[in-house]
Structures are given as structure tokens and as C-alpha cells.
Amino acid sequence: MEKIDVLSLDLGELKTKTQSLGMKPFRAVQLFEWLHKKHVTSLEHMTNLSAADKEKLKEVFDFCELKTEELQISKTDGTRKYLFALEDGSMIESVWMSYHHGNSVCVSSQVGCRMGCTFCASTLKGLQRNLTAGEMLSQVYAIANDTKERVSNVVIMGCGEPLDNYDNVIRFIKRLSDPNGNALSQRNITLSTCGLVPGMLKLAEEDLQITLALSLHAPNDDMRQKIMPVAKSFSLDSVIGACRNYFEKTGRRVTFEYSLIKGVNDTPACADELSKLLYGMGAHVNLIPVNPVTERGLTGTDKSGALRFKNLLEKKHINATIRREMGRDIDGACGQLRSRHI
Ligand code: SAH
């Protein structure tokens, strides 16, 4: 029998399940609090449960315990990059970043990725499998325990394409923000997608208050198709349409990610085209010089080039920020740590 992903269940579901195992309803409350308030995923440490109950729970539930395989800490900004081993031995990475406004955790949503973006290390070996909601929650909880600090922001921007693992990602977001448990405000959760239009449209109907980020990276279809194979399936028109729809349905502004690749998408002509594409959307563009991935042979735009690009956008009334490159000294970009490991 396949075990149930216990972290993915809401309190009602957990009550039903534990009662069917012959336990009192308050046991479910205790278990839920251990998991989602105290972030304890090891039965061993749940002191108010009896040994007999723990045996039953162990048989039925999967607790998604992660093993820290490697931890890198940046000397320049304290960014912590974790390589976690899952129960089946797969490796994933998660990142903790400390900002003046709080601590942010970047989680992976899949083992590997099948989107094939040319600048990204996560996709080098393709997709191995989807992560369960519990495996995503465990990344946040393990890091909260390790740092002993509150996690105030979660971004689904690690390895994998979240909308390619739709149902598990929605469960993850609901549990992370569950008022009975971890209670993180949905406004402090960001989901980043390479632009899977059907998923974006569906997400707009979920009645969630999360921020949607679109990995744009190019101002026209031609260029986007060259660096992001997914752009062959969904035109920029339809992707931008899905962004507008998300804003209309949820009232939440979409953020645009734009990784600057030297000599490819960072020219003044690109800035001009980008500003026309996004004009009138109240758009915010996050610029980040692409982190060089050795296997990919692409270089990031230098500081002055990034600044020039930002100024050109602002002249055309498009808000833009150059993101601090956190943890550059520690395999900063998506999938780099995992990729070096395998
Ligand atoms: N699949 C999702 C989320 C994962 S990637 C998406 O595509 O949005 C998170 C962000 O990092 C994306 O904007 C992605 O394009 C970007 N990224 C990937 N590799 C990068 C690199 N080497 N340098 C800079 N940004 C990178």
C-alpha cells in the first residue's frame, strides 16, 4: 500500500484518517501542530504521542523527512544553500536568503525539470519526478528548524516547473498558508513559471492571493524560442494574455523575471521592445544578470550593461529592479549545486 503524504492533509482530512485508525480527534490536532506549527517531521520527537500510536502512524503515513546532504553558506551575504536527499535518494536543492524585510526560502518543485531553458542548470538531465506537497513543505520546515528563524517569504523558484506539477504545488501553497498550521500569508508566496498558459489560467481561478512571476527573458517570440523551448508551444501573446487575466481575476500584479544574457537579450533594442510589450500593465521587471552555468556557455551582462538596460526601461515608464545576486560564491543559480553533485 502506498503511504499517504501526511503533510499535504488539512486538519479535517487528518482527523478522518486518524479516527479510522482508532485514534481520538485531538490526536490529529496534536499531530497537525507538530508538523505545521513546530515543524517537526520526525515521529521520534513527538513527545505527546504514545508508542502504539506512532507505530500506527508510521505504517500509514509518509513524513517526508529530508537528510541534509550538503550545506553551503555564502561568506558575502550569509545565503544558505541546502542539498537535501529525499527518501528515495533523489537530490534537491533549496536556498535561504536573509533580506532586511525578512527571510526568504526558495523551494524546488520537481527533481530535475523538462522545460529545457538554455541558461538553466536544473534541466541538464531532464525531469526525474514530481515532488509531493510534503516534500516541498519539508524544505521550508527543515530550513526554519536549521536557522531557528521565521521564514517570512517562500518563492517557488528552485529546480522544476511548478505548473508542470500543478496539484501538488496547489496543496503545498494551501498547507503553507493554512490558518490552523504554518499560517504564512499567501501574499508572501511567489510562484514562478516559464509560461505554461493552461496552468496560468487555471491558477487564476483558485482563489489564492499568491504572486505570480513570469520568466520572460526575451521581448519577442523569435528570441524567446531560441532560449526557452517552451515558447514554441505558447506564444508571447498568449502568455502575456494569461498574465493580464491573472491580474484581472486576482487583483495581484504579475512580476516579470528577465535574466540578462550578454549579447543576447540585453541590447537597447531589446529594452525598447520589452517596454512596448509590457506597457500599461503596471508591470514590475526583475533583472538579474544570468549566472554562468559552465555546461551552457552563456555569460551574464555586466553591472554597467544591466544598469543601462534598467534605465532604458524606466525611461519608458516600466518599473525595474536589478536583483542582488545572492550567494554567487556558492553555486548560486538554479540546479547548480545538484548538478555538480550528480
Ligand atoms: N520553472 C520556473 C521556476 C524555476 S527557475 C520558471 O521558469 O520560472 C527560477 C528563475 O531563475 C526563473 O526565472 C529562471 O528562468 C531563472 N534562472 C534559471 N537559471 C538561471 C541562471 N543560470 N541565471 C539566472 N537566472 C536563472
Side-chain angles (χ1 to χ4, degrees):
M1 190 188 68
E2 198 169 321
K3 289 189 181 178
I4 298 167
D5 177 14
V6 68
L7 283 154
S8 76
L9 304 180
D10 68 24
L11 189 53
E13 292 167 332
L14 194 62
K15 276 184 183 158
T16 311
K17 200 63 219 169
T18 47
Q19 272 176 287
S20 77
L21 296 173
M23 298 181 189
K24 295 256 159 28
F26 74 90
R27 287 287 176 226
V29 177
Q30 287 175 325
L31 181 56
F32 199 82
E33 288 186 348
W34 277 116
L35 296 173
H36 297 285
K37 283 195 175 163
K38 297 177 192 149
H39 304 143
V40 171
T41 53
S42 161
L43 272 172
E44 207 184 307
H45 295 118
M46 300 184 189
T47 44
N48 55 3
L49 303 181
S50 70
D53 281 351
K54 285 182 193 175
E55 271 315 304
K56 283 188 211 161
L57 295 168
K58 212 184 323 186
E59 247 167 61
V60 182
F61 291 135
D62 181 2
F63 285 82
C64 299
E65 278 189 72
L66 302 177
K67 206 172 118 229
T68 305
E69 201 65 30
E70 195 179 324
L71 168 61
Q72 298 183 336
I73 303 174
S74 163
K75 290 194 179 66
T76 50
D77 55 35
T79 293
R80 299 162 79 86
K81 186 141 189 172
Y82 294 81
L83 184 71
F84 290 122
L86 305 173
E87 279 157 11
D88 69 354
S90 303
M91 300 286 173
I92 52 167
E93 53 182 76
S94 321
V95 186
W96 179 88
M97 290 155 288
S98 178
Y99 296 96
H100 60 270
H101 60 267
N103 301 314
S104 187
V105 167
C106 173
V107 299
S108 291
S109 55
Q110 295 179 313
V111 184
C113 182
R114 59 186 181 128
M115 296 298 132
C117 300
T118 54
F119 46 83
C120 182
S122 312
T123 203
L124 287 167
K125 295 249 156 63
L127 174 69
Q128 271 176 37
R129 70 170 173 88
N130 282 329
L131 293 184
T132 63
E135 287 168 333
M136 289 179 253
L137 287 156
S138 282
Q139 297 171 55
V140 181
Y141 296 173
I143 292 177
N145 280 335
D146 186 47
T147 57
K148 299 186 177 61
E149 288 199 36
R150 210 182 102 79
V151 173
S152 50
N153 283 279
V154 170
V155 296
I156 313 172
M157 285 194 185
C159 297
E161 166 49 47
L163 297 182
D164 190 35
N165 181 17
Y166 191 90
D167 293 340
N168 289 326
V169 165
I170 297 295
R171 279 237 161 214
F172 165 65
I173 293 167
K174 288 189 174 161
R175 277 309 71 67
L176 198 61
S177 58
D178 193 323
N180 293 314
N182 187 64
L184 176 66
S185 163
Q186 287 183 355
R187 291 170 174 266
N188 296 347
I189 302 174
T190 298
L191 182 154
S192 178
T193 179
C194 62
L196 301 182
V197 171
M200 293 168 75
L201 296 175
K202 201 167 159 198
L203 188 68
E205 306 296 328
E206 294 283 352
D207 201 21
L208 297 173
Q209 279 294 298
I210 61 167
T211 300
L212 177 64
L214 174 75
S215 295
L216 185 56
H217 306 321
N220 59 57
D221 278 314
D222 258 9
M223 188 180 293
R224 200 158 185 268
Q225 284 171 12
K226 286 202 183 97
I227 58 179
M228 301 174 72
V230 65
K232 291 177 192 146
S233 309
F234 304 104
S235 68
L236 257 186
D237 245 12
S238 66
V239 175
I240 298 293
C243 292
R244 286 185 200 275
N245 175 70
Y246 190 82
F247 176 51
E248 278 159 22
K249 294 270 162 68
T250 63
R252 305 281 300 152
R253 278 218 174 99
V254 177
T255 304
F256 296 88
E257 307 289 322
Y258 197 98
S259 299
L260 293 160
I261 311 170
K262 195 173 183 148
V264 178
N265 64 359
D266 65 347
T267 62
C270 287
D272 190 51
E273 211 176 353
L274 183 61
S275 64
K276 286 183 182 129
L277 182 74
L278 299 180
Y279 188 75
M281 288 179 76
H284 190 96
V285 181
N286 278 322
L287 299 169
I288 179 163
V290 87
N291 265 301
V293 178
T294 352
E295 294 89 331
R296 297 300 200 188
L298 298 167
T299 328
T301 306
D302 54 30
K303 265 208 179 101
S304 62
L307 202 59
R308 183 188 61 186
F309 199 88
K310 171 179 142 81
N311 290 339
L312 285 172
L313 288 181
E314 285 180 339
K315 235 192 232 159
K316 299 279 166 83
H317 310 288
I318 304 289
N319 273 317
T321 319
I322 302 177
R323 274 209 299 195
R324 271 163 67 205
E325 297 164 77
M326 307 286 279
R328 234 220 147 128
D329 56 326
I330 52 161
D331 292 322
C334 314
Q336 281 184 353
L337 175 57
R338 173 175 170 269
S339 147
R340 186 169 51 66
H341 200 88
I342 53 182

